[in-house]
Amino acid sequence: MNVNRVAESLLALSQQEELVDLPKNCPLSENEDEGDSDGERKHQKLLEAISSLDGKNRQKLAERSEASLKVSEFNVSSEGSGEKLVLADLLEPVKTSSTLATVKKQLNRVKSKKVVELPLNKEKIEQIHREVAFGKTSQVLSKWDPIVLKNQQAEQLAFPLGKEQPAIAAIEHALSGWKARTPLEQEIFNLLHKNKQPVTDPLLTPMEKASLRAMSLEEAKMHRAELQRARALQSYYEAKARREKKIKSKKYHKVMKKGKARKASKELEQLQKVNPTVALEELEKFENARMMERMSLKHQNSGKWAKSKAIMAKYDLEARQAMQEQLAKNKELTQKLQVASEIEEEEGGTEEVEELLVPHVVNEVQMNVDGPNPWMLRSCTSDTREPATQEDPEQLPEPATHEVSESEGERPVAEEEILLRDFEERRSLRKRSELNQDAEPAGIQETKDSSSQEVLSELRALSQKLKENHQSRKQKASSEGTVSQVQREEPAPEEEAPLLLQRPERVQTLEELEELGKEDCFQNKELPRPVLEGQQSERTPNNRPDAPEEKKEKEQLIDVQNLLTTQSPSVRSLAVPTTIEELEDEEERDQRQMIKEAFAGDDVIRNFLKEKREAVEASKPKDVDLTLPGWGDWGGVGLKPSTKKRCQFLKAPEGPPRKDKNLPNVIISEKRNIHAAAHQVQVLPYPFTHHRQFERTIQTPVGSTWNTQRAFQKLTTPKVVTKPGHIIKPIKAEDVGYRSSSRSELSVIQWNPKRITTRHNKELKKNSVG
Amino acid sequence: MKVKMLSRNPDNYVRDTKLDLQRVPRNYDPTLHPFEVPREYVRALNATKLERVFAKPFLASLDGHRDGVNCLAKHPKNLATVLSGACDGEVRIWNLTQRNCIRTIQAHEGFVRGICTRFCGTSFFTVGDDKTVKQWKMDGPGYGEEEEPLHTILGKTVYTGIDHHWKEAVFATCGQQVDIWDEQRTNPICSMTWGFDSISSVKFNPVETFLLGSCASDRNIVLYDMRQATPLKKVILDMRTNTICWNPMEAFIFTAANEDYNLYTFDMRALDTPVMVHMDHVSAVLDVDYSPTGKEFVSASFDKSIRIFPVDKSRSREVYHTKRMQHVICVKWTSDSKYIMCGSDEMNIRLWKANASEKLGVLTSREKAAKDYNQKLKEKFQHYPHIKRIARHRHLPKSIYSQIQEQRIMKEARRRKEVNRIKHSKPGSVPIVSEKKKHVVAVVK
């Protein structure tokens, strides 16, 4: 709007100027020589004319300037010439006057200008302002785009972003503003001032300063040199001590210690001569030490080290010596520093004590050599318990047989019981021997297996005997009876060797006993049956009980085939009895013949069956080789794990029965495993575009088991790292190398920094005063 | 007989210096370490389970206010100091390490509507229902001094919010209009209006410090530039926005907490479509605050819970609630990005961990390595159904749970109707509007 108005006024002004100037220029040029006074008058007039430009006057003047038909002869008219009068032509004859040139220019400019449009309404203007401002702001904001993008894609962001400078204010600054207010504070302040303690500058008190000043340069130098020497000496001493400390030789240390002790004793002697009171004190100290030693258990072979040595002492001469040495030391420490005769007396006592103090184990070997000793006897029994147990198997059978004879005498009917007892005993014996042999843990399983096998064979033999004895009885009942009897009988042998019986095995044997009984019921002749699983798997082709199953399977297959292949005959057989329509039958037969001929080449049903069989085969779980090379035996290039181990680890878990097992003409695919589906991703997750990508990311392991330490660290770097206890400030333009946008950049608001600063100054002054 | 000897090159096992670490030889041959995927899967599963086991986010409750806590403010220089204003005009300053109140001021009559600290941390400003803006010193009054504000400005209308400039001695209040004040003057240096409704909150941009955002009761969000003394743009949403918060790391991003249970993250240069619509709350969202890392924000809701949203996800990653916590009115994320504070109706300020299962205190390097590894594993296997189920499992109060179900049904019904309408009308006559665009009514230039 303003612009518009200004343009209008300018236009008017230019017109007026032109119109005012035109008539007056000529006389001016003519009367140039009239003098200054005349010029002045003219100038005054011009000024008046200019000053009366606005209002009615202007309009009047404008009227005057209008070209009309009624013009005096002095005025130029374009009439009759036939040409259009151009303003520029009018001005042409006048010679180059600077003022006119400017007018011309102005005129040209005016001509080129268009009519100014109406000003917009307020809302519109505001909107335009807003839009412009928004454009500018968003432009400024878009400088952040690369930084935001970078931060989003960054592998790791560590906050706080900028490096913080720890702001450490000097204590003087902190104290300068502080003043004592409360009475207590003032009191303290006064006290401090009295002592001339530094309050603001705590480096040196005035006294210290004075003393510093008092010291001369030479003195200071000497002092410094002295200090230096002392420091050097100290460092030498330290180095020496370190060196000595590092020496590992026991002998050296022993010598050193002895030397020290000697020195101490010498000093003591000297002291006795020179200053008996001090020497007495020293002696008291010794006495104290002795008391302490007597009270403590330090050198009495009761520590952990001593105990371990005691164990070793039986075999190791050095250990024995070490123990003796310790005891000697104890003796030495507890020795009284009195008259020689007393010492001697005591020595005997201590020797006895010593003998008592030495653990029996240490002297055992010697004592054994010496002869029978009550202490030795006890230890011997503990030692010989093992051989006794080893002897047991030889000794035990005899009483058992005695028992058997007795029992026979008492109850001649209970033959089974005796037999069972016999068996039980034998088993326990074998177990004992097994335990003794157990030195090689590697063969545990095998031995177990073999033992159980033996047990089984024995059981079998027993059961055979039983059968021979009581064939009239029902076998199942008998077997049950035996089981119960076994259970009844069990405690007795267990008491004999409670440590050696292991429950799981017993249960196993019992179960097997039962099984045996059942088997007897089922098939009398099929007694020698292997139970061990490994052997079973090996013998599967020859194994009898598996055979019927196979047969069953075969039958099933055949059944299925029959079902499929015999369907058409059955239909035919149904059709055959209707003998009335023979003609039709013939036709049918023809048709069938034709179909047969048409599909002569392909046997669809057989193909389907084959296909199904293949599918079944394919879906069966394959054997997985789970052997880990290097576990249990050597691994490496060119070495293979032993066949035995491979057999152990090759396992194909038996899957659930197929759903289409009983559906002959259907194949139901069982590729989808519902148990596994719970652990499988169903939909491709968002950032991935192909399932391969996703699989690959899953397949690359992250853990340190599969990656080097550095790679592991790199792979597991967290995306955002923050320092605990550090304030994270918003991102700053300076941090990322931009100039922060300042107030002046887009500022429209009136902002007077000068005033603000004066105000701030005032505020500061107030603060400092108050 | 040929004797084979094992021989080793000393270079492989002798250290160069004593200070070097002993080399632990390890064979990384993949054949020796099979089943890497299943093993890592199990580890990830265990890590996820443990995370849930150790998720105990609630740390402390600061009680002392005698009315609902209406506003919270962080101290810009001190992590342990927090300021809170209550509905009875009381302002309290708390020490978080000791978990006690260190100062109480009766600042206003009626509500304390807004509270903000000066960027240097020496003073703070409050506005209240008594039409005053007051500036207070952060330290308590000295011996024998009265508890008095440094300055008090009496205004003509009620101020509903206040925020301080991040670098200069300028603050902004809102009420009938947005006023920008110089700290030293009693008249605003500039006041900006656009529309005639009351403005509920105003926030300075922490990065481009001359930008402001405000939200008014007539459902709009208005952006201003302080330097040009003019509003920039206005976006009108479906319902009223309660407050906004700028992302401290991304200058042009802000998030608006809306009455329609959602939060909207906008790029201020393109207001017609929000960058993300965050939905999970089941009642009006009352406050929002960004984590200082700019990766997440926390929102407080009328449904008595607070939720943590990642900036780029539309669903929340965490929900916090306790039996006793009522409508949460204000929430703040502490400036070390470790804790969250929320003030609620029932007069308490609660302190939570930002990561529910995080172990507090100093970690040893091995602990840290294990933590990082577990985090990575959880991230790697996050899409697996079993792990996803465990990681997402949260206990919710019955009211919230049933409301979520209800909302789900409603949303599904609406969607079905939309689909049906499209299906049964002339193709192209019913436009398909995306979820993001659905909530923006208009953008006014």
Side-chain angles (χ1 to χ4, degrees), chain A residues 61-80:
Chain A
L61 282 164
E63 262 170 39
R64 245 181 82 195
S65 69
E66 238 165 14
S68 62
L69 286 174
K70 293 176 210 164
V71 188
S72 65
E73 62 265 35
F74 305 111
N75 275 341
V76 194
S77 160
S78 63
E79 218 177 337

Side-chain angles (χ1 to χ4, degrees), chain B residues 122-394:
Chain B
T122 52
S123 64
F124 64 93
F125 296 83
T126 56
V127 291
D129 270 354
D130 52 0
K131 300 183 189 174
T132 53
V133 181
K134 288 181 179 170
Q135 184 182 9
W136 306 83
K137 267 204 319 197
M138 191 64 84
D139 324 320
Y143 180 78
E145 268 180 43
E146 285 284 306
E147 182 85 87
E148 268 183 344
L150 285 175
H151 300 290
T152 307
I153 301 168
L154 270 169
K156 287 175 194 130
T157 56
V158 174
Y159 299 107
T160 52
I162 187 168
D163 196 24
H164 200 280
H165 194 274
W166 287 78
K167 281 176 187 165
E168 285 174 9
V170 172
F171 64 90
T173 59
C174 61
Q176 294 296 314
Q177 73 277 336
V178 171
D179 290 329
I180 292 168
W181 305 74
D182 180 44
E183 276 180 16
Q184 312 299 333
R185 300 193 206 179
T186 50
N187 284 320
I189 49 175
C190 165
S191 53
M192 299 179 277
T193 50
W194 190 358
F196 300 98
D197 230 320
S198 66
I199 297 160
S200 59
S201 133
V202 63
K203 291 278 164 71
F204 270 103
N205 189 328
V207 187
E208 285 293 330
T209 47
F210 297 99
L211 291 175
L212 296 110
S214 77
C215 43
S217 307
D218 55 353
R219 304 179 298 161
N220 56 27
I221 302 168
V222 189
L223 303 171
Y224 308 89
D225 193 330
M226 203 179 91
R227 294 165 298 188
Q228 305 181 61
T230 166
L232 297 176
K233 224 169 204 184
K234 176 156 90 171
V235 58
I236 304 174
L237 298 175
D238 261 346
M239 287 179 88
R240 193 173 96 104
T241 301
N242 282 317
T243 184
I244 67 165
C245 185
W246 294 90
N247 190 328
M249 290 293 149
E250 296 168 13
F252 40 79
I253 300 284
F254 67 89
T255 299
N258 205 290
E259 284 277 323
D260 64 355
Y261 312 171
N262 294 341
L263 292 118
Y264 302 97
T265 299
F266 283 99
D267 183 339
M268 72 157 278
R269 295 167 299 174
L271 290 171
D272 50 346
T273 319
V275 179
M276 191 59 74
V277 180
H278 309 274
M279 38 176 74
D280 253 350
H281 279 297
V282 287
S283 192
V285 190
L286 297 183
D287 199 7
V288 59
D289 192 36
Y290 263 92
S291 147
T293 59
K295 297 280 176 199
E296 287 173 330
F297 61 81
V298 59
S299 64
S301 168
F302 198 73
D303 63 10
K304 305 174 187 177
S305 70
I306 59 176
R307 282 180 185 268
I308 302 172
F309 291 87
V311 171
D312 51 352
K313 297 267 159 51
S314 74
R315 294 290 173 179
S316 62
R317 87 166 160 83
E318 194 70 74
V319 56
Y320 293 161
H321 58 86
T322 63
K323 257 183 193 170
R324 296 184 179 189
M325 190 163 73
Q326 297 302 310
H327 314 303
V328 194
I329 298 171
C330 47
V331 71
K332 279 272 180 274
W333 201 309
T334 57
S335 17
D336 60 347
S337 88
K338 286 257 188 283
Y339 307 99
I340 288 166
M341 291 167 304
C342 68
S344 45
D345 247 0
E346 88 312 321
M347 308 182 268
N348 282 324
I349 299 166
R350 290 194 166 74
L351 186 68
W352 309 83
K353 282 193 267 184
N355 271 322
S357 60
E358 193 180 35
K359 192 184 171 196
L360 295 180
V362 183
L363 296 181
T364 62
S365 58
R366 283 179 53 168
E367 272 179 313
K368 221 194 248 161
K371 192 192 81 182
D372 291 347
Y373 180 45
N374 283 342
Q375 190 59 43
K376 200 77 197 173
L377 283 180
K378 276 183 263 174
E379 224 166 85
K380 187 180 167 188
F381 290 98
Q382 64 184 336
H383 305 293
Y384 281 71
H386 217 69
I387 288 173
K388 202 200 268 173
R389 188 182 64 77
I390 293 165
R392 279 182 55 219
H393 182 83
R394 296 285 182 285

